[in-house]
């Protein structure tokens, strides 16, 4: 009798339905310019994938250095291809996980909502427009938005005149804030950043050929590869994420 009962228990255990897989946490290091887009994406992605997202936002250079130092990031989204190249060359990006996700454009913004538009070209008197004030930019030697901005000003022959007046911020959102609160009359940011702030006006767009293409790359960090991280990258390439990115002023690359 005892043996029969044991057999019944074992057989019953074998036919029990499989327990659903537990949700996992995905830590995402992302460029600060993605702040608003990822805030919208996070909740819906968690609901649809079943995984919890923890998003850390900063300048791409700062995040890349943290990854180099062993920070526990699962996914990196960089606003600058050079930083992604560097991590990949150091073996810090999971094989076959990297892809180009988004594009953006560079704009000149002014404080307030009624600033007049200007044509951005070699004849622009940007130094005169500052009238003793500061030009807010992200760090021009390290943060992508600052690197692109300096490249654009240099190619147009404007950099030398305005360089002494540049106020460098840790990231592009900090540069945006300087203009929004009136600490700087003008700034150079991404179009997506300007769209997120009511207290600035886009007064001109930099010619696309004045700076390298602005491309956001995404990848899984080496040693952190797993189903949850891959599921997040797949979700980023889906229709819901595409619509959110486009609402926030980005261009979605690829199919």
């Amino acid at each position: 009798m005892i043996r029969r009962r044991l057999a019944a228990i074992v057989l019953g255990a074998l036919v029990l339905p499989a327990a659903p897989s537990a949700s996992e946490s995905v830590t995402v290091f992302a460029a600060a310019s993605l702040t608003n887009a990822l805030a919208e994406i996070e909740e819906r992605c968690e609901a649809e994938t079943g995984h919890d997202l923890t998003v850390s936002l900063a300048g791409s250079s700062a995040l890349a250095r943290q990854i180099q130092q062993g920070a526990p990031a699962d996914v990196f989204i960089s606003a600058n291809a050079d930083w992604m190249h560097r991590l990949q060359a150091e073996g810090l990006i999971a094989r076959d996980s990297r892809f180009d996700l988004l594009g953006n454009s560079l704009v000149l913004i002014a404080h307030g909502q009624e600033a007049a538009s200007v044509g951005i070209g070699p004849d622009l008197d940007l130094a005169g427009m500052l009238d003793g004030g500061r030009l807010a930019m992200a760090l021009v030697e390290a943060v992508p938005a600052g690197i692109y901005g300096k490249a654009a000003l240099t190619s147009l022959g404007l950099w030398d005149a305005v360089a002494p007046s540049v106020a460098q911020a840790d990231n592009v959102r900090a540069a945006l804030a300087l203009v929004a609160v009136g600490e700087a009359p003008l700034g150079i940011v991404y179009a997506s950043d300007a769209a997120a702030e009511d207290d600035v006006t886009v007064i001109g767009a930099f010619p696309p050929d004045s700076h390298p293409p602005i491309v956001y790359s995404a990848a899984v960090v080496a040693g952190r590869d797993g189903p949850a991280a891959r599921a997040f990258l797949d979700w980023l390439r889906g229709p819901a994420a595409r619509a959110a990115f486009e609402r926030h002023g980005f261009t979605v690359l690829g199919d």
Side-chain angles (χ1 to χ4, degrees):
M1 179 66 70
I2 294 176
R3 288 181 180 176
R4 289 179 182 176
R5 287 177 180 173
L6 288 174
I9 292 171
V10 171
L11 289 173
L14 292 176
V15 299
L16 287 174
S21 59
S23 64
E24 297 180 41
S25 177
V26 180
T27 299
V28 181
F29 278 19
S33 52
L34 292 165
T35 298
N36 293 70
L38 287 181
E40 177 180 340
I41 282 171
E42 182 176 357
E43 183 175 354
R44 183 164 180 180
C45 180
E46 288 179 334
E48 293 187 6
T49 66
H51 301 304
D52 295 325
L53 298 183
T54 299
V55 180
S56 179
L57 297 150
S60 297
S61 56
L63 296 173
R65 291 191 183 102
Q66 290 177 36
I67 292 171
Q68 288 174 320
Q69 294 166 8
D74 299 309
V75 171
F76 180 41
I77 308 176
S78 175
N80 182 274
D82 288 343
W83 282 108
M84 192 67 84
H85 289 329
R86 190 174 305 184
L87 294 183
Q88 195 165 17
E90 295 174 5
L92 296 175
I93 296 301
R95 183 185 297 274
D96 300 327
S97 69
R98 177 183 174 179
F99 66 96
D100 292 337
L101 175 64
L102 302 170
N104 214 331
S105 57
L106 203 63
V107 296
L108 181 65
I109 58 171
H111 174 66
Q113 298 180 339
E114 300 179 355
S117 297
V118 298
I120 297 182
D123 297 329
L124 179 67
D125 183 13
L126 186 55
M129 292 171 59
L130 291 170
D131 192 25
R134 294 288 186 172
L135 176 67
M137 298 177 65
L139 294 169
V140 300
E141 300 297 338
V143 177
I147 294 171
Y148 293 128
K150 181 180 178 181
L153 293 173
T154 300
S155 72
L156 295 172
L158 305 177
W159 174 251
D160 290 342
V162 300
S165 301
V166 171
Q168 298 190 52
D170 286 342
N171 57 67
V172 69
R173 283 306 176 99
L176 176 71
L178 288 175
V179 182
V181 300
E183 291 292 330
L186 301 174
I188 298 176
V189 300
Y190 296 127
S192 59
D193 297 303
E197 176 55 66
D198 293 334
D199 292 325
V200 303
T201 300
V202 174
I203 60 174
F206 285 87
D209 60 359
S210 67
H211 56 80
I214 300 171
V215 176
Y216 292 67
S217 298
V220 176
V221 176
R224 310 286 295 188
D225 204 353
R230 293 283 180 163
F232 174 65
L233 289 189
D234 288 342
W235 198 91
L236 286 182
R237 286 178 277 197
R242 171 185 288 271
F245 285 129
E246 290 176 344
R247 276 193 295 273
H248 289 279
F250 294 93
T251 301
V252 179
L253 304 178
D255 297 335

